[in-house]
Amino acid sequence: MRTTLTIARREIASYFDSLVAYVMLVLFLGFSGFFTWFYGSDVFLVGQASLSVFFAIAYWSLFFFIPALTMRLIAEERKSGTLELMLTKALNQRQWLMGKFLAAWFLIAVALLCTLPYIITLYYIGNPDTGQMIGGYLGLLLMSASYIGVGIFASSLTSNQVVAFLIALVIGLCFHIVFGVLSQNLTGMAGQVFFYLNMSNHFEGIARGVVDTRNIIYFVSIAFLGVYLAEQQINRIKISGQS
């Protein structure tokens, strides 16, 4: 665990040293804040002390931001040759990957923490549903964990960051849209399977303030499956001797 945390701290420092963290925070807060408070179906137009508008916007904005955040995690190591150096050391690959996972997740948590003024404002202008807000933030954190796992796996497949971004986006589109469309057009067992795989069904359940362990298991499973597949890909690289 100590090794994982050490790697996570280094990755977090690299995010802020390279300005990636600042750019991500500014874009996320600017985009979500604009549409939550000033444009479209904003909080004032809806007329309710609720962050449901923000959660809906963050659900989509994080979908695009996370692949951009994770695309460099392993692809950059492969391109620079540091992955090959890491494989020669007695470093546990799973700990290394989990360190990178925790660093990306920490940055998402910081971005969501920066929306604390939204909550304060809602309590100032009305009487929001606290359970629903907690559920919304929990849903965003869990969804982010899933897509970080997917992004790490995509980044392990190539040394090209743009390709890693596109792979993560395509896989994410399956969970975000494609499985939902298939579940509506298929019947029987196939329809039920795609309904379960559709991420919005699980996110909306938690965002309503209903914390179901089945939804948590769904998000955690995708996150760990992504890290596991990345580990297998790195093992394959180690055996083949190619980075």
Side-chain angles (χ1 to χ4, degrees):
M1 189 64 185
R2 181 178 298 176
T3 303
T4 299
L5 293 177
T6 300
I7 294 169
R9 282 196 293 270
R10 289 177 181 172
E11 286 294 329
I12 291 168
S14 72
Y15 279 136
F16 285 94
D17 288 343
S18 65
L19 300 180
V20 171
Y22 302 105
V23 172
M24 187 268 178
L25 290 173
V26 168
L27 288 177
F28 174 73
L29 294 174
F31 187 80
S32 63
F34 179 71
F35 286 100
T36 299
W37 300 102
F38 303 111
Y39 187 80
S41 300
D42 57 55
V43 170
F44 301 109
L45 185 66
V46 172
Q48 296 178 347
S50 169
L51 280 181
S52 57
V53 175
F54 165 70
F55 294 137
I57 293 168
Y59 178 73
W60 277 99
S61 55
L62 288 175
F63 168 73
F64 288 101
F65 283 141
I66 290 174
L69 191 66
T70 57
M71 65 182 184
R72 57 172 283 278
L73 287 178
I74 302 175
E76 188 178 54
E77 305 267 12
R78 293 185 64 170
K79 186 175 182 179
S80 64
T82 51
L83 176 64
E84 190 176 34
L85 182 63
M86 186 277 293
L87 293 176
T88 62
K89 296 181 178 179
L91 180 63
N92 185 292
Q93 293 161 21
R94 186 168 299 175
Q95 291 178 333
W96 183 70
L97 289 169
M98 286 305 300
K100 289 178 175 292
F101 174 91
L102 290 177
W105 204 23
F106 175 82
L107 191 56
I108 296 298
V110 170
L112 294 176
L113 187 63
C114 288
T115 63
L116 183 61
Y118 296 1
I119 300 174
I120 297 172
T121 303
L122 278 188
Y123 277 105
Y124 181 75
I125 64 176
N127 185 27
D129 185 332
T130 302
Q132 190 180 47
M133 281 199 296
I134 293 174
Y137 279 102
L138 178 62
L140 290 177
L141 281 172
L142 289 170
M143 182 201 73
S144 299
S146 298
Y147 284 141
I148 289 170
V150 170
I152 287 176
F153 169 60
S155 186
S156 72
L157 295 175
T158 175
S159 59
N160 187 312
Q161 295 187 33
V162 176
V163 174
F165 173 81
L166 293 175
I167 292 173
L169 206 59
V170 169
I171 297 174
L173 274 175
C174 292
F175 288 101
H176 230 66
I177 298 176
V178 175
F179 292 152
V181 173
L182 291 175
S183 70
Q184 293 174 359
N185 290 279
L186 295 174
T187 58
M189 181 64 73
Q192 293 177 11
V193 169
F194 285 118
F195 180 83
Y196 179 78
L197 291 174
N198 183 23
M199 188 164 289
S200 66
N201 294 331
H202 300 275
F203 175 76
E204 289 171 3
I206 294 180
R208 287 196 299 269
V210 180
V211 180
D212 190 325
T213 53
R214 289 172 296 184
N215 293 330
I216 296 175
I217 290 171
Y218 168 85
F219 288 115
V220 173
S221 298
I222 294 175
F224 279 96
L225 179 62
V227 174
Y228 172 78
L229 292 176
E231 183 182 5
Q232 298 308 307
Q233 173 64 11
I234 290 174
N235 281 333
R236 189 194 66 78
I237 294 171
K238 184 178 182 179
I239 293 171
S240 65
Q242 297 176 346
S243 61

